[in-house]
Amino acid sequence: RNVPSKRVVVEHRIGIEEMIIPFVTKAAVQSAAALPQSPAAFIAAIPRGGAAAAAAAFDMGLAKTRLEGLAYGTVTALITSAALNLFKFADGKNSKLMANDRFNNILKITFGILLASSVALGIYTTAIFTIIGIYSKTALGMGQTTDFITFFNSCEKFRHYGFRSFVACLASFSISWVCALLLTYEEETRWWIALPAILVGVMGFLHYKELFALASTLIYSSSCEM
């Protein structure tokens, strides 16, 4: 086989570069000529305002993170399921008021009210955050970023109601669980059995309150729009 010499290869490369460089140089000159020549013209050429600017500044990763923060509905659905299972406990003697047994009667009434409230609040919380999540993802999937921002920010009060409903659902379920333990056992035994649930519940609510205060001070003190 005839192998080309190094001199032939070098001359061939030089010939290609001589053909390509003029075209590249000409394109660069034309692009530079199309740019505004003065600072004022350059600044005026920058697009600003309107839907185009909002779409350009939109961060899809941030939007997905905000939507992932609407996980209250999932947690509340689990609490609601547990509360519905506790309704089985209300069958038989635990659902009947007894004469001359005021303390247990108060426990039974409290248990029923709190358990019913927990289920109702859980359904409300789950529905609110599920609906917001569905419509928000629909807008993002259709590429309507501006409409998504408007819708999500307009739902601020509903997210606020949903969060308070989530906290109330958690509190009512925790107390109804303690009531169920006290109704299951009798005399001093029930207090010893319910004591761990009471201590953990009180400690938990103190910690929840501190966490809410930190979030309110550090995260939600300044309202940031997407």
Side-chain angles (χ1 to χ4, degrees):
R1 291 182 299 178
N2 295 326
V3 180
S5 63
K6 293 183 179 180
R7 180 178 178 181
V8 174
V9 173
V10 171
E11 291 177 353
H12 182 67
R13 290 179 59 185
I14 293 175
I16 294 176
E17 291 175 356
E18 289 177 350
M19 290 186 295
I20 294 176
I21 290 176
F23 290 101
V24 175
T25 306
K26 182 178 180 181
V29 171
Q30 291 177 349
S31 300
L35 293 175
Q37 300 302 317
S38 65
F42 178 78
I43 294 175
I46 299 176
R48 65 186 66 189
F58 182 77
D59 189 341
M60 181 64 74
L62 177 61
K64 291 181 178 179
T65 303
R66 292 291 301 273
L67 290 178
E68 290 174 357
L70 304 180
Y72 304 105
T74 303
V75 178
T76 310
L78 296 175
I79 297 175
T80 303
S81 177
L84 289 174
N85 287 328
L86 268 185
F87 265 119
K88 300 177 182 179
F89 173 80
D91 295 337
K93 66 175 184 178
N94 293 314
S95 62
K96 298 179 180 179
L97 299 181
M98 305 296 292
N100 301 324
D101 196 355
R102 185 176 181 180
F103 180 75
N104 283 335
N105 290 340
I106 293 175
L107 278 180
K108 293 175 183 178
I109 295 174
T110 303
F111 169 77
I113 293 175
L114 291 176
L115 199 59
S117 300
S118 178
V119 174
L121 292 167
I123 294 173
Y124 174 82
T125 304
T126 304
I128 285 292
F129 288 111
T130 301
I131 292 172
I132 293 176
I134 288 174
Y135 286 135
S136 297
K137 291 178 182 177
T138 300
L140 290 176
M142 297 175 66
Q144 300 175 352
T145 56
T146 303
D147 296 332
F148 162 74
I149 294 173
T150 304
F151 172 77
F152 195 85
N153 292 333
S154 299
C155 291
E156 180 180 0
K157 66 176 182 179
F158 297 108
R159 299 199 305 270
H160 179 73
Y161 294 151
F163 176 74
R164 289 190 175 272
S165 176
F166 165 74
V167 175
C169 175
L170 181 62
S172 58
F173 175 76
S174 299
I175 300 174
S176 63
W177 167 244
V178 173
C179 291
L181 292 176
L182 293 176
L183 289 172
T184 302
Y185 301 93
E186 298 179 354
E187 299 179 354
E188 295 182 0
T189 305
R190 59 183 178 184
W191 292 106
W192 287 107
I193 293 177
L195 183 60
I198 296 174
L199 292 177
V200 174
V202 172
M203 181 180 65
F205 280 116
L206 293 176
H207 291 173
Y208 303 155
K209 184 179 180 181
E210 185 175 354
L211 287 173
F212 297 155
L214 288 174
S216 177
T217 302
L218 301 178
I219 301 177
Y220 298 106
S221 58
S222 58
S223 176
C224 56
E225 301 294 331
M226 294 186 70

